[in-house]
Amino acid sequence: MAKLIQRITGILRRTTPATPPAPAPAPARAPQAPRGRHLQYEPNLDGDADPGEIVWTWVKYEDDPSQGKDRPVLVVGRNGRTLLGLMLSSQHDRDGQRNWLALGAGAWDREDRPSWIRLDRVIEVDQDGIRREGAILDRARFDKVAAVLRADYGWA
């Protein structure tokens, strides 16, 4: 009986490969930080939208993306041809609402109404989708927006 067990064990050893399992394949791309998380301030009223400028573009409604409206957007960054922005509103009921920050009035609004900026929704727009440049947001107000984005929303 012992000889039979040795014989079976020997057969099993010869048919079982001694090589370790192959490592899992590496991901095709290393994970990157989410888009829209690196703030830039580089305004230049040259006809192209740049970070730090408020521009006008079509923004889809969240509850019905088949509709939207032309509205001002603060450009806060860029990812290739894609601009990363935050939309503005002149509706007074935004004052004090969560995720909205008061900006005050500026040249982007023809009626010089105060504006609020929405901090929790990043708008991605192809650079050719900008309808017109509105104004440069001054550095102090941009820095105020940037400080809140860094402290409360995980931006760099």
Side-chain angles (χ1 to χ4, degrees):
M1 182 70 134
K3 285 188 178 188
L4 179 62
I5 292 173
Q6 285 178 342
R7 202 168 173 198
I8 293 172
T9 306
I11 293 171
L12 288 175
R13 283 188 190 142
R14 283 187 294 243
T15 59
T16 305
T19 59
R29 245 171 33 162
Q32 298 177 353
R35 291 190 294 174
R37 297 291 186 224
H38 179 75
L39 295 161
Q40 295 173 273
Y41 185 78
E42 300 169 352
N44 180 12
L45 288 179
D46 58 358
D48 295 328
D50 301 299
E53 295 176 12
I54 294 177
V55 298
W56 286 78
T57 189
W58 185 258
V59 177
K60 295 177 182 177
Y61 294 135
E62 280 184 295
D63 56 349
D64 184 0
S66 68
Q67 298 183 39
K69 72 186 257 185
D70 203 38
R71 66 181 322 133
V73 171
L74 171 62
V75 179
V76 293
R78 176 185 287 278
N79 185 5
R81 292 182 46 85
T82 303
L83 300 169
L84 308 166
L86 303 172
M87 68 182 199
L88 278 67
S89 173
S90 60
Q91 295 180 2
H92 290 280
D93 62 338
R94 301 291 183 210
D95 196 30
Q97 283 186 356
R98 186 170 183 251
N99 299 318
W100 289 88
L101 178 68
L103 274 187
W108 57 86
D109 187 280
R110 290 183 183 145
E111 297 174 31
D112 203 35
R113 297 173 294 184
S115 294
W116 289 262
I117 188 165
R118 184 167 177 186
L119 302 168
D120 67 333
R121 181 180 177 202
V122 178
I123 309 296
E124 295 185 354
V125 182
D126 184 84
Q127 66 187 16
D128 293 335
I130 300 301
R131 298 190 193 279
R132 68 178 169 91
E133 290 177 290
I136 291 176
L137 184 66
D138 60 88
R139 185 66 192 238
R141 287 194 277 185
F142 186 90
D143 287 346
K144 181 180 173 183
V145 171
V148 175
L149 289 173
R150 287 181 180 114
D152 298 343
Y153 295 89
W155 290 61

